[in-house]
Amino acid sequence: MHSSSPPSRSAIWLPIFAGLSASLVSIGLARFAYTPLIPALIQAHWFCASDVVYLGAANLVGYLIGALIGRPVAQRTSNKTALRLMMFAVTLSFFACGFPLSVNWFFGWRLLSGVAGGAIMVLVAATVLPHVPAARRGLASGAIFLGIGLGIAGSGTIVPPLLSLGLQQTWFGLGLLSLVLTAASWFGWPSEAHHPAVAPSIDEPKTATDPRVYLLFAQYAFMAAGLVPAMVFLVDYVARGLGAGPHVGALIWVMYGLGAIVGPVSYGFLADQFGAKVSIRVVLVVQAIAVGLLAISSSFTALALLAVILGSFPPGIVPLALARVHELIAQHHQQQVAWSRATVSFATFQAIAGFAYSALFNASGGHHALLFVIAAGAIVVALLLEQGMRLLNRRDDVLPVLN
C-alpha cells in the first residue's frame, strides 16, 4: 500500500547519484580521460603514435559490444548487479593500464572499459528513471548523464597534474577515483520491484514497427557520426593545426568540458519544457552551425565559445534521445528494448566514424577542417531525417481522413 506515496527526496537522489557515478566512471573517465593522455603515451614511448590511435578506438569497439550485451547480462543477473559489475570492471582496467606490458594487453583492457561503458549506457536510465516522477525525468536523466560531462571536464583538469607524477601514477590515480565512486554508489542503486525481463509482449509488434522509432535510431546514428571529429581532434586542431600550442589546446578542452557539464541537464530541461522532438530540432541546427564554423575559426574567443557549444552535444543528446523514446513508446519494457537499440545504432556509427575519420585524417595529411565539414554534413543529414519524421506524421494524420 505505502508504495503509492511519493518517494522522499533522498530516495530519488541516491539512485541519481549512483547513475551519475556510473556514467562518470565508465564513459566520462574511461573514454575521455584517454584524450589528454595521448601525447604522454607517445612521448613516454609506451606505444608508437599509430598504436595509440588504434588503442583509442578499442574503447569505441568495446562500447558497441557493451550496448549489445548489456540487457542480456542484466536479465541473467539483475540491473543492479550488472551495473556494479561493470563499474568494477572499469576500475580494474584503469589499474591494469598502469602496466604497459604489450599492445594486446592494453587493447584488451581498453576494450573491456568500453564494454562496461556501453552496458551502463543501456541499463542506467532503465534502472533509475522508474523511481523518478514523470514530470522530472528529463532533468533526472540529464543529472545521470552529467557524469559524462564531469568526466570530460575532469579529464582536462585532473589528468595534467597527475601526469606530473608520472604516466603509471596517472592511471593509478584514475583507478583510485573510479574505486571511490564505485564504492560510494554501491548501495545507491534502487532494488527492482519488477524484473524487466518478464513483461507482456502484446505491444511488441506495434512499437517495433513504428517508423518514427526507426527514424530516431537513424538520427541518433548520424548525431554520433557528427560529434566524433570535435571529440577526438579538437585539441590536436588547436595545438598543432592552428599552431597555438598544447597549453591553448588544453584550455580549449577545458571549455569543451564546461559545455559537457552544462549539456545534459540543460538539454534534459529542454525536453521537459518543450518536448524532445522540438528540442532535438533546435539542438541539431545549433550544432551543425557550430561544427561548420569550427572549420573556419582561428581566434581564441571564437574557438572557446564553439568548444562550449560543441562540448554540450555528446552528453546532452543522450537525455534528449531517451526522452524521445519515452514520447514514442508507452510501455516500460518496450522503452528499454528501443533504448538499447538506439544505443547500439549510436555506438555502431561512432565506432565506424572513429576509424573512418582517423583513416581520412592520415590520408589527407592531417587536414582537420575537412573532418569538421563532413561532421557538419552528418548533423545536417540528422536534421533532414527530422523532416522525414514530419512527413510520416503528416501521412498518419491524413490516412484516417482518407479511410
Side-chain angles (χ1 to χ4, degrees):
M1 284 297 289
H2 65 272
S3 62
S4 58
S5 63
S8 69
R9 286 193 89 108
S10 65
I12 292 172
W13 283 108
L14 262 174
I16 288 174
F17 168 75
L20 184 150
S21 299
S23 70
L24 171 51
V25 165
S26 66
I27 301 165
L29 293 176
R31 179 184 304 165
F32 290 105
Y34 186 78
T35 306
L37 282 171
I38 289 172
L41 286 165
I42 298 166
Q43 282 160 10
H45 302 294
W46 276 29
F47 307 105
C48 67
S50 57
D51 281 342
V52 169
V53 174
Y54 163 73
L55 291 168
N59 185 270
L60 298 182
V61 175
Y63 186 80
L64 172 57
I65 297 166
L68 289 165
I69 68 163
R71 285 185 68 250
V73 169
Q75 283 170 354
R76 289 222 165 79
T77 54
S78 72
N79 283 18
K80 188 199 288 192
T81 306
L83 287 160
R84 285 172 172 172
L85 195 66
M86 294 302 166
M87 286 184 76
F88 185 71
V90 177
T91 304
L92 214 55
S93 79
F94 280 130
F95 286 110
C97 285
F99 303 96
L101 300 182
S102 70
V103 171
N104 288 342
W105 163 271
F106 218 81
F107 186 91
W109 287 106
R110 292 296 300 149
L111 186 80
L112 179 66
S113 70
V115 169
I120 284 172
M121 182 58 86
V122 166
L123 297 172
V124 67
T127 308
V128 174
L129 291 187
H131 301 266
V132 177
R136 307 293 294 278
R137 278 182 191 162
L139 199 57
S141 67
I144 292 166
F145 298 116
L146 169 63
I148 304 172
L150 290 172
I152 296 171
S155 71
T157 49
I158 297 168
V159 170
L162 279 173
L163 276 172
S164 66
L165 301 173
L167 197 48
Q168 186 177 55
Q169 286 76 7
T170 304
W171 284 109
F172 289 170
L174 291 169
L176 198 61
L177 178 58
S178 180
L179 185 63
V180 168
L181 287 165
T182 302
S185 62
W186 195 265
F187 298 106
W189 297 109
S191 41
E192 291 138 273
H194 55 282
H195 200 289
V198 289
S201 57
I202 300 162
D203 291 353
E204 205 144 329
K206 190 179 78 180
T207 52
T209 52
D210 187 338
R212 291 174 301 175
V213 176
Y214 289 117
L215 268 170
L216 175 66
F217 295 165
Q219 263 196 311
Y220 202 38
F222 278 100
M223 288 185 212
L227 62 81
V228 169
M231 191 170 80
V232 176
F233 295 101
L234 180 62
V235 178
D236 193 54
Y237 172 58
V238 175
R240 291 193 314 120
L242 298 174
H247 178 66
V248 178
L251 278 176
I252 294 295
W253 186 249
V254 171
M255 298 307 286
Y256 185 91
L258 190 67
I261 291 174
V262 174
V265 178
S266 53
Y267 286 24
F269 178 76
L270 272 179
D272 280 343
Q273 296 302 308
F274 305 105
K277 192 167 79 166
V278 175
S279 302
I280 287 172
R281 200 178 304 162
V282 172
V283 164
L284 286 176
V285 170
V286 172
Q287 287 299 324
I289 294 166
V291 181
L293 285 174
L294 189 60
I296 55 168
S297 298
S298 57
S299 84
F300 178 79
T301 313
L303 288 167
L305 182 64
L306 290 172
V308 173
I309 296 167
L310 294 167
S312 71
F313 192 54
I317 51 168
V318 180
L320 271 188
L322 184 62
R324 186 64 181 142
V325 165
H326 284 226
E327 278 180 4
L328 291 169
I329 300 169
Q331 203 222 356
H332 177 67
H333 173 66
Q334 281 303 318
Q335 287 172 352
Q336 279 191 273
V337 174
W339 178 242
S340 178
R341 288 176 185 164
T343 305
V344 167
S345 73
F346 183 92
T348 305
F349 266 63
Q350 187 175 245
I352 293 168
F355 284 110
Y357 285 121
S358 296
L360 187 62
F361 184 69
N362 291 333
S364 66
H367 201 299
H368 295 91
L370 175 66
L371 306 183
F372 300 140
V373 169
I374 293 168
I379 296 169
V380 169
V381 171
L383 256 173
L384 294 174
L385 287 168
E386 166 67 31
Q387 298 307 309
M389 280 196 189
R390 291 172 76 180
L391 288 171
L392 278 170
N393 289 350
R394 205 165 295 156
R395 190 202 67 179
D396 290 346
D397 292 342
V398 169
L399 281 176
V401 179
L402 293 176
N403 292 335

